[in-house]
Amino acid sequence: MTATDVLIVGAGPTGLTLACTLARAGVSVRILDKSPGHHPGSRGKGLNHRSREIFDDLGIGERVTAAGTEHTVLRKYRAGVQVADHVTFGERTPTPDVPYTSSLLIEQWRIEGFLRDRLAELGVQVELGCEVTEFTQDADGVTATLADGRRIEAGRLVGCDGGRSFVRKALGVGFEGETEAEECMIIGDVRADGLDRGYWHQWFDGDGGLMLCPFPGSDHWQLQGMPERDAQGKLVEPTLEVFQRLFDRHARIPGVQLADPTWVSTYRINVRMADRFRVGRVFLAGDAAHVHSIAGGLGMNTGIQDAFNLGWKLALTVNGQAGDGLLDTYEEERLPVAAWTLNITTEGMRRVREGIREAGVGTEAGVTADVTTLSVGYPWSSLAWGGPQAGERAPDAPCRDAASGKTVRLFEVFAGPHFTLLGFGAGSEAALAEAGERFPGLVRTFLVDDHEGHARTAYGLDGDGLVLVRPDNHIALTTAADRGAEITARLAQLGR
């Protein structure tokens, strides 16, 4: 029997992000997946703006960006004729507080690879072919039994095992919502030699549609199409031949032959959410906790952001820097976000289905500023301790380290498993010194030399002040420079 602090079931983007977040904080973690190998399909294919910021924090942002495509051009056709191009968020430019102006087009399997590499750097490997068939919990921990009879003892268990989650079902947690009766899409990864790889091609006609999305560094495209039916009206199983018929019908480009399918699947819309995200020592995250329409591409991103929220709370609790009550704030914060996500993706799918009836409209019809998730915050949270932006995402800004004179971005200061206490003005120095002395492993202090004024603007400060930023880069508290005692009191009682 092997013991660990946290056992993660499921090694997709959610589980891997959680494992990285925990491992870099010094938490012992094991991550299992029942599959014998890593999934080869593209599946999810985009990181949104907020997930890109999280990956920067985890130390893989540059690697992922180099492998993806920004500002993808959506090329729309009607009856085989090009009618419009669109670049989602193409009008945006970087600002001091928001470094990314575009989502990143990149396959899920590639994202998982980068996360596994980072996890290996932190000393942890994914354990494949390990299916959890039973688990029990008590006041001291969780015991999981694997299909081969092995048992693993853990302090806590997190189910990141997808929409059909064994962990959720074993907990008896409800998963209320709706599932469309029939598949609405066939999907797969294919080659399409001769097609211009500079565009995400989208053909929509009155009798159906087809999309082919290219991936950088690959000969393959992700194909998404409306299902084909036989003479009796029944859905036809997707095959390369079905894909080719759809392409010929809608694209009408002679000579392009689809080939080498490496993944083929079907998709139906599921809109469901768990009624609890925590049961004692067991937690749910990602698709195990919520599933929704693909409009806006939020499935993988919401799971990544669940994991980043839960990870720092588990780490501080395991390391004795916070009480168990901190873990209740995971459900408090992320369950309302999941409900919001279900609503906006359902509305986004409705807009897409209506929009594509018009020539020149494609998947961008389901995209609004909401899908960046930069606006997602937790102002209702018990961890929103005061100030005008409490609970909101902490903005980035270029500044100088007042101690060294070095130019730095705030996101670089935040990176890591710690709180950050920002001090503005000489009046904040005493509070910074006290917090640093009392909580050396929990808080990083930083006296801001705001030589360009961007940080003060972003945080709404015009004089001396203090800003406490959580490990997941959300604002916990903004207060006057002489209120350092309030910050140390809050941290001393964290989760207790």
Side-chain angles (χ1 to χ4, degrees), residues 144-208:
T145 303
L146 306 187
D148 61 8
R150 286 181 295 157
R151 292 197 296 166
I152 299 174
E153 287 189 343
R156 297 191 172 66
L157 183 149
V158 186
C160 304
D161 50 341
R164 296 172 178 164
S165 170
F166 165 78
V167 174
R168 186 190 64 244
K169 293 174 182 176
L171 288 172
V173 170
F175 202 48
E176 299 302 318
E178 299 178 350
T179 301
E180 291 197 354
E182 292 187 341
E183 288 83 356
C184 71
M185 182 186 299
I186 55 176
I187 187 168
D189 294 340
V190 297
R191 289 182 55 174
D193 296 343
L195 195 61
D196 191 335
R197 299 189 63 84
Y199 303 94
W200 181 352
H201 301 276
Q202 303 187 356
W203 296 271
F204 291 108
D205 299 315
D207 62 343

Side-chain angles (χ1 to χ4, degrees), residues 33-88:
D33 201 286
K34 67 180 182 180
S35 299
H38 302 303
H39 197 290
S42 56
R43 295 178 292 167
K45 60 178 181 295
L47 286 178
N48 73 359
H49 305 59
R50 180 63 185 136
S51 291
R52 296 184 70 184
E53 294 177 355
I54 289 171
F55 278 18
D56 279 346
D57 194 291
L58 291 175
I60 59 171
E62 290 186 0
R63 307 179 215 179
V64 175
T65 294
T69 301
E70 297 180 312
H71 296 298
T72 304
V73 181
L74 281 61
R75 174 156 285 182
K76 278 70 65 68
Y77 304 82
R78 201 73 162 190
V81 177
Q82 176 194 338
V83 292
D85 286 347
H86 177 84
V87 180
T88 304

Side-chain angles (χ1 to χ4, degrees), residues 220-278:
H220 279 73
W221 304 65
Q222 187 187 85
L223 181 148
Q224 295 170 288
M226 295 184 182
E228 189 175 70
R229 295 181 182 273
D230 61 21
Q232 287 73 44
K234 294 182 179 179
L235 295 176
V236 177
E237 287 295 315
T239 62
L240 180 62
E241 291 71 24
V242 170
F243 287 167
Q244 187 69 51
R245 284 198 297 269
L246 280 172
F247 182 84
D248 294 341
R249 181 185 310 141
H250 297 293
R252 308 179 191 186
I253 303 176
V256 174
Q257 292 293 313
L258 307 184
D260 191 19
T262 56
W263 171 58
V264 174
S265 187
T266 59
Y267 170 77
R268 70 173 65 185
I269 295 176
N270 246 328
V271 181
R272 295 182 179 274
M273 188 173 77
D275 52 39
R276 300 179 66 186
F277 287 7
R278 179 188 186 185

